[in-house]
Amino acid sequence: MCQDSTYEIVQVETLMMVLFRRRNMRLSYIIGVLATLITVTAAAQPPSGAVYGIVAAGSKIQVGVFREGLLKAFGHDHLIAAKRFSGTVHFNADKVEESSLALDMEASSLTVLDPGVAEKDRRDAQATMVSAKVLGVESFPRITFRSTGVQQIKKAGAEWEVTVAGKLNLHGVEKPLSFPVRIRLDNTRLTLNGEVFIAQTGFGIKPVKVAGGTVRVKDRVKVSFTIVAERNNS
């Protein structure tokens, strides 16, 4: 075989390899674009089910903060209530796992109740709670929760027991959170009941200590809630 023929064959083989690579690159590009479009389209889909607006006036969200330490008998537990919050519940009675919850709360609306405690002590506890030492409400004015999944566990009549998973944003830190919720549907009203324990340190909050640490609050606080939501007419 002559040298020119060998050179031509090499050129043809090289061209075929380039075309093959380009074809694969185009195919990979097309697959990537399609995958992106599918992801964006799925994310753009509205949550399943009827829409219910949270009614703050008929709901209750409370936080229990408990004391510990050698001299805990000289301190007292705290009961805190959220006053201003809003949100929506998308609820699908036929496919509960497609439901969702979104909750927004004003951190400054958290109010120390502490029944049976002197007013001065309540004011002092309130000032400490909203200060930069704890919640830092000026820097972190909102507390939010967005569900990422709902798992149906049990259904009995118009009630469901489910586990809600989502992301809690508190004190500028977002962390995953899951907890059991009991749901009841009465015509156009939805009621959610449950409780969850949250570790303050997980969100960059240092539990308050006094008297050299002999009296302090526990890291874990208990959040209990009864959320009432009314079905939107639109």
Side-chain angles (χ1 to χ4, degrees), residues 62-233:
Q62 294 186 333
V63 182
V65 182
F66 310 102
R67 67 191 185 280
E68 64 179 0
L70 292 175
L71 300 179
K72 65 179 182 180
F74 294 93
H76 57 269
D77 297 337
H78 298 291
L79 179 63
I80 300 162
K83 299 294 186 180
R84 295 188 298 275
F85 52 90
S86 60
T88 56
V89 181
H90 287 80
F91 184 70
N92 189 331
D94 297 321
K95 294 182 178 180
V96 178
E97 65 278 5
E98 295 182 1
S99 303
S100 66
L101 167 65
L103 179 67
D104 294 88
M105 181 188 304
E106 294 183 29
S108 61
S109 77
L110 288 168
T111 304
V112 176
L113 302 180
D114 289 0
V117 175
E119 179 61 27
K120 180 184 181 302
D121 291 338
R122 279 198 298 270
R123 287 198 304 267
D124 290 345
Q126 179 76 27
T128 299
M129 179 183 67
V130 300
S131 72
K133 294 180 180 179
V134 186
L135 291 178
V137 298
E138 291 188 1
S139 300
F140 312 106
R142 305 199 70 79
I143 300 170
T144 65
F145 177 81
R146 298 289 184 272
S147 67
T148 55
V150 177
Q151 180 183 356
Q152 182 173 346
I153 298 177
K154 186 171 62 176
K155 180 181 184 297
E159 291 191 357
W160 292 260
E161 292 182 10
V162 304
T163 296
V164 175
K167 293 182 179 180
L168 175 66
N169 192 305
L170 168 65
H171 197 246
V173 178
E174 185 175 79
K175 295 182 70 69
L177 188 69
S178 62
F179 47 92
V181 179
R182 187 170 66 254
I183 303 172
R184 180 172 180 81
L185 178 61
D186 295 300
N187 297 320
T188 62
R189 172 169 291 192
L190 202 64
T191 305
L192 289 71
N193 286 282
E195 64 179 39
V196 58
F197 284 88
I198 298 173
Q200 298 180 74
T201 52
F203 293 89
I205 300 173
K206 294 182 179 180
V208 175
K209 298 179 181 180
V210 295
T214 55
V215 181
R216 57 184 181 270
V217 300
K218 292 183 178 180
D219 186 14
R220 292 210 316 163
V221 300
K222 183 176 76 172
V223 181
S224 57
F225 59 87
T226 297
I227 293 177
V228 175
E230 290 285 352
R231 183 169 180 170
N232 295 345
N233 294 326

